[in-house]
């Protein structure tokens, strides 16, 4: 089965930087869109950023000036580079893969990672 494994989360001081990574594993032929969402404590899950297989990006307004998303299609991996972090960036960050085509199958599927904690201290 396809799995998304996140890494790079942790504790960082305000103004610092983190780079997360999400690697998709399994018999994957292609992935249309990969991205990141986050859920702050007591709030709903929200968009952080997405990137298509062709490199088209989409960012939430709250992170547009500070975060950069990229992907390595050959490795089925997506990276958000997060700079100038603020305490309000504290959340569980979830990797997302949409339009995942499994080798040998005609359908496309959608997957979520397990989430990784990012905590920004004042």
């Amino acid at each position: 089965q396809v799995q998304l494994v996140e890494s790079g989360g942790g504790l960082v001081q305000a103004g610092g930087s983190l780079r997360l990574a999400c690697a998709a594993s399994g018999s994957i032929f292609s992935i249309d869109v990969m991205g990141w969402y986050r859920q702050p404590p007591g709030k709903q899950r929200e968009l952080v950023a997405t990137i298509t297989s062709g490199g088209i990006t989409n960012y939430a307004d709250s992170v547009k000036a500070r975060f950069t998303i990229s992907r390595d299609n050959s490795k089925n991996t997506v990276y958000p580079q997060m700079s100038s972090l603020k305490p309000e960036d504290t959340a569980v960050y979830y990797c997302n893969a949409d339009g995942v085509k499994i080798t040998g199958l005609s359908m496309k599927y959608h997957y979520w990672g397990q989430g990784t904690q990012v905590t920004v201290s004042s």
Side-chain angles (χ1 to χ4, degrees):
Q1 185 174 342
V2 171
Q3 293 184 337
L4 304 180
V5 180
E6 299 112 328
S7 61
L11 176 65
V12 64
Q13 292 183 339
S17 299
L18 282 176
R19 191 191 192 207
L20 306 183
C22 172
S25 63
S27 299
I28 300 170
F29 181 78
S30 62
I31 303 173
D32 291 340
V33 182
M34 299 188 74
W36 289 85
Y37 295 73
R38 68 186 183 186
Q39 187 167 14
K43 298 183 179 180
Q44 293 183 312
R45 191 174 300 186
E46 64 185 20
L47 168 74
V48 177
T50 61
I51 184 168
T52 71
S53 61
I56 300 172
T57 58
N58 182 41
Y59 295 92
D61 289 341
S62 60
V63 308
K64 187 175 295 183
R66 301 179 294 117
F67 292 9
T68 301
I69 191 168
S70 62
R71 66 186 282 176
D72 184 340
N73 291 334
S74 66
K75 299 179 180 179
N76 290 319
T77 302
V78 62
Y79 310 90
Q81 177 65 50
M82 308 187 297
S83 301
S84 300
L85 286 163
K86 304 174 181 179
E88 52 262 43
D89 294 319
T90 295
V92 178
Y93 283 70
Y94 294 92
C95 180
N96 178 75
D98 202 0
V100 180
K101 188 178 185 301
I102 307 301
T103 300
L105 301 178
S106 60
M107 300 295 292
K108 292 185 177 181
Y109 299 90
H110 180 255
Y111 295 94
W112 288 95
Q114 81 286 352
T116 186
Q117 178 70 48
V118 172
T119 302
V120 183
S121 62
S122 300

